[in-house]
Amino acid sequence: MDALTALHSRVSVPRLSEPAPSRHALHNIYRAALRAADHALLHPWRFLIIEGASLQRLGDLFLAASLNDEPELPLEKQHSIRSKALRAPLIIIAITSPKPHPKVPEIEQEYSTAASVQNMLNAAHAQGVGAIWRTGPMAVHPMVLKGLGLSTGEKITGFLYLGQISNPPRPAQELPVDDYFSRW
């Protein structure tokens, strides 16, 4: 798939199944992340790969964090929370790991990490791999941050779920360009 076709047709794919992307596809996805816009070449990111038994451990961590906040959580809700980590055979957790710099504020470094996630979404799509970027309350929960080993000052920018496309994705909605771009 050529670059413009990939950029114009990419959509999020919420229904993902086994198997995880191939090593070759993952290598391309990782390389795309490292090409994100990065003022002063700080590389303000790091990534955790979650697959296999680690998916269950992540689900357990999500549940422990939720039970810490709400000890009387109904069993059905507990099952739902734990299963969030099992929605794909592989998850990449994108972490902003800011570096001190006099000209590059932390917010710019967060944007750089976000750009790396977008690059991974595009690289996945270009290779026929299903992907969706999720955040939610677990991305900011102190127990999750600690359980994943984040250092002080680091933030989860997103959970990138990757796998095979289970159902044909909805087509990309064509937005009228003139509604969003104007001359000043």
Side-chain angles (χ1 to χ4, degrees):
M1 177 180 310
D2 71 86
L4 285 177
T5 299
L7 291 169
H8 293 168
S9 63
R10 192 212 65 80
V11 293
S12 293
V13 182
R15 305 257 186 264
L16 301 166
S17 60
E18 295 280 350
S22 70
R23 289 183 71 191
H24 176 73
L26 284 172
H27 184 71
N28 286 331
I29 290 167
Y30 301 160
R31 286 182 63 205
L34 303 179
R35 297 305 311 147
D38 178 13
H39 188 185
L41 302 177
L42 297 177
H43 315 297
W45 51 62
R46 67 185 185 93
F47 306 93
L48 296 177
I49 310 304
I50 311 293
E51 61 183 330
S54 293
L55 292 167
Q56 290 288 342
R57 287 181 29 227
L58 182 62
D60 292 343
L61 181 58
F62 286 175
L63 180 58
S66 298
L67 286 170
N68 183 69
D69 294 345
E70 191 179 338
E72 301 299 321
L73 203 59
L75 285 176
E76 185 177 300
K77 184 76 170 166
Q78 290 182 37
H79 174 73
S80 173
I81 290 166
R82 181 181 277 129
S83 69
K84 289 180 186 304
L86 306 175
R87 295 188 280 199
L90 188 138
I91 301 171
I92 298 172
I93 302 176
I95 300 166
T96 299
S97 186
K99 313 293 188 273
H101 193 280
K103 294 184 179 180
V104 186
E106 279 191 27
I107 190 72
E108 244 186 84
Q109 296 180 53
E110 290 176 36
Y111 295 159
S112 182
T113 305
S116 76
V117 176
Q118 185 66 44
N119 280 3
M120 288 190 284
L121 284 168
N122 288 328
H125 175 64
Q127 299 177 97
V129 173
I132 188 167
W133 177 356
R134 297 182 185 272
T135 53
M138 294 297 110
V140 295
H141 198 288
M143 281 185 67
V144 172
L145 302 179
K146 182 179 181 186
L148 291 170
L150 273 70
S151 299
T152 301
E154 289 187 321
K155 297 177 182 176
I156 293 176
T157 302
F159 300 98
L160 181 62
Y161 289 72
L162 298 163
Q164 296 303 305
I165 299 169
S166 298
N167 300 317
R170 60 174 169 59
Q173 179 185 1
E174 189 70 31
L175 297 174
V177 174
D178 290 342
D179 286 358
Y180 299 93
F181 292 85
S182 60
R183 296 202 181 276
W184 184 59

